[in-house]
Amino acid sequence: MSAFIIVAAMLVVAIIAILLPPLWRLPKPSGSGDRREANLAIFRDQVAELEREREDGSLAEADFVQAQAELQRRLLDEVEALPAPAATRTQASRKTAFALLLIIPLAAATGYLLLGDPRALDPLQRQARIAPEQMEGMLAGLVEKLKKNPDDSKGWVMLARSYKVLGRFPEAANAYGRAGALVNQDATLLADYAEVLSQINGGNLQGKPTELIERALKLDANEPQALLLAGAAASERQDFAAAAEHWSRLLVQLEPGSDDAKALEAAVSKAREIAATQAGDGRSAGKPAATTGAVSGEVTLSGKLAGQVKPDDVLFVFARSQEGPRMPLAAMRATVADLPLSFRFDDSMALAGGNKLSDFATVSIEARIVKAGQAQSSSGDLFGTLTGVKPGSHKLRLLIDQVQP
């Protein structure tokens, strides 16, 4: 749409640039001024000649008066026949230029509205022109192409996604199954395949969908759709601690304050609340909450830094191994408004495919208020760290009292 408007505007400007300059420029002085001066000079010479003849006595007074009147009449006739002054013509030309400057763009726009199709400028309208019959025709063409080349994995994936958009989930599942290694090596495609299978089963993620989700998280532990589905699958199993863990890892990838983040944060809080109730009742329909190696405590903010934060600033609390990979063993997200914040990490919160708290003799606990809204550290972040924490430690006190340079 913008490209069409720009080109059309450039064409209108080009036309105006061609037509207006000749009308706008002052006309060059014509020969009318020189002609007037010449006529006056001739008139003066002829009058002088008549006066000399009268003085010499060769011309009577009555004849002198008659000849002089004749010369004056001829002079007036010459003056009236001369063209209009240049200033008058200039004003008329500029009025024409102004008129064209207004009329040409208006005429172009009006002509397009009357003869063209303004809806074609709207991308949504252009998309709406693809009728269901056309879509079916395109899919039929892709199916015929895949019959001739059944090893085209990318083609099968394209067909699967098209069927999913149309709500034809059995066909989509079959197409994903034909894509082979391309799907098995891509975490995003595995998660999408799992969602398609769950739709066929009325939204149930147990069985093969869960297997596909687990394979996706092994390939990419932070794949967003896989984390969302993993949390939903854990919730179906009544394993709310695992659901909260999966959704918490997804939450850190969302834009803070967005509608999606708020909804997911509420789901995480609810899942943790149910998990805590299950643990208090000594029951869990899924796996029991792991208590071995758990660490817990409270995070507070130093008073000297309180003026540098806002209530909605994002707060992350991590448990990391002091030696080895820097990937968190467990994590939680909150806001400054939640301070002082109680935290608890145990083996049930271990990230998929990662190590557990109980695997290490000591760990570090870090609380960080992030200015960029993302889990990654950046200049200006406020943080505090506890090191040498032994799994099983409780009533820890973590103070945020440092500023990231």
Side-chain angles (χ1 to χ4, degrees):
M1 176 177 68
S2 59
F4 173 82
I5 294 176
I6 291 172
V7 172
M10 290 176 64
L11 290 174
V12 172
V13 170
I15 293 172
I16 292 174
I18 294 172
L19 295 178
L20 261 59
L23 297 172
W24 189 262
R25 288 195 295 265
L26 289 172
K28 295 181 180 179
S30 64
S32 60
D34 294 338
R35 181 178 174 183
R36 183 181 290 106
E37 292 297 329
N39 288 342
L40 289 174
I42 294 172
F43 174 75
R44 285 193 293 268
D45 290 342
Q46 290 179 344
V47 170
E49 181 66 25
L50 290 173
E51 289 177 348
R52 283 194 299 271
E53 290 179 358
R54 185 185 63 176
E55 290 173 359
D56 293 343
S58 60
L59 185 65
E61 183 66 25
D63 294 333
F64 171 78
V65 173
Q66 182 180 359
Q68 187 182 41
E70 178 65 20
L71 287 175
Q72 290 175 344
R73 184 186 62 77
R74 287 166 51 193
L75 180 62
L76 288 174
D77 291 341
E78 288 288 342
V79 171
E80 290 176 357
L82 289 176
T88 303
R89 297 197 305 275
T90 300
Q91 293 176 357
S93 298
R94 289 188 173 178
K95 288 181 180 178
T96 303
F98 278 122
L100 290 176
L101 186 61
L102 295 174
I103 291 173
I104 290 176
L106 290 175
T110 304
Y112 183 77
L113 290 174
L114 293 176
L115 303 176
D117 184 6
R119 294 178 302 173
L121 298 177
D122 188 350
L124 295 178
Q125 292 289 342
R126 294 200 302 269
Q127 292 177 2
R129 291 180 177 181
I130 301 178
E133 296 77 10
Q134 292 176 300
M135 179 65 75
E136 291 294 340
M138 294 168 61
L139 287 177
L142 182 56
V143 170
E144 289 300 320
K145 180 181 177 181
L146 290 172
K147 287 180 179 179
K148 297 176 182 179
N149 185 15
D151 296 328
D152 183 3
S153 298
K154 292 183 178 179
W156 285 112
V157 169
M158 184 183 301
L159 183 62
R161 286 176 166 169
S162 300
Y163 279 139
K164 181 186 174 185
V165 170
L166 294 174
R168 296 169 58 175
F169 299 111
E171 293 97 326
N174 180 64
Y176 269 130
R178 298 289 298 273
L182 181 61
V183 172
N184 294 330
Q185 297 172 3
D186 189 307
T188 300
L189 294 179
L190 284 169
D192 202 49
Y193 188 9
E195 183 182 359
V196 168
L197 291 176
S198 74
Q199 292 295 330
I200 297 174
N201 297 325
N204 190 337
L205 288 163
Q206 306 310 309
K208 187 172 182 179
T210 296
E211 295 177 8
L212 295 173
I213 294 168
E214 292 175 350
R215 285 160 57 186
L217 290 175
K218 287 181 180 180
L219 293 172
D220 182 356
N222 294 310
E223 206 291 316
Q225 188 179 7
L227 286 173
L228 180 64
L229 295 176
S235 179
E236 288 179 6
R237 300 191 303 270
Q238 302 296 304
D239 188 356
F240 293 100
E245 184 270 320
H246 288 302
W247 288 337
S248 294
R249 287 165 52 200
L250 174 59
L251 187 60
V252 300
Q253 302 181 44
L254 301 181
E255 180 182 355
S258 65
D259 292 341
D260 289 341
K262 291 178 181 178
L264 189 59
E265 193 167 8
V268 170
S269 298
K270 186 65 176 178
R272 284 176 177 163
E273 180 182 341
I274 297 175
T277 301
Q278 289 177 337
D281 293 344
R283 60 178 178 81
S284 176
K287 59 183 179 182
T291 57
T292 303
V295 295
S296 62
E298 185 178 72
V299 179
T300 57
L301 176 64
S302 171
K304 64 181 181 180
L305 299 179
Q308 301 183 32
V309 297
K310 300 177 182 178
D312 57 351
D313 283 347
V314 179
L315 166 66
F316 289 106
V317 185
F318 305 97
R320 287 192 174 100
S321 62
Q322 291 191 230
E323 298 179 359
R326 291 294 295 165
M327 183 176 179
L329 300 172
M332 65 180 297
R333 169 177 168 159
T335 63
V336 169
D338 297 321
L339 292 172
L341 175 68
S342 296
F343 67 89
R344 184 181 186 280
F345 297 133
D346 57 44
D347 284 353
S348 70
M349 302 175 68
L351 302 184
N355 296 310
K356 300 178 180 179
L357 284 168
S358 59
D359 292 336
F360 299 90
T362 59
V363 297
S364 65
I365 309 295
E366 178 182 332
R368 179 174 292 270
I369 300 172
V370 292
K371 294 299 182 180
Q374 302 297 326
Q376 294 81 3
S377 61
S378 60
S379 179
D381 290 352
L382 310 182
F383 70 98
T385 306
L386 291 176
T387 59
V389 176
K390 295 181 179 180
S393 300
H394 300 285
K395 297 182 179 180
L396 299 170
R397 293 290 179 267
L398 176 53
L399 179 65
I400 300 176
D401 58 354
Q402 301 178 63
V403 180
Q404 185 74 38

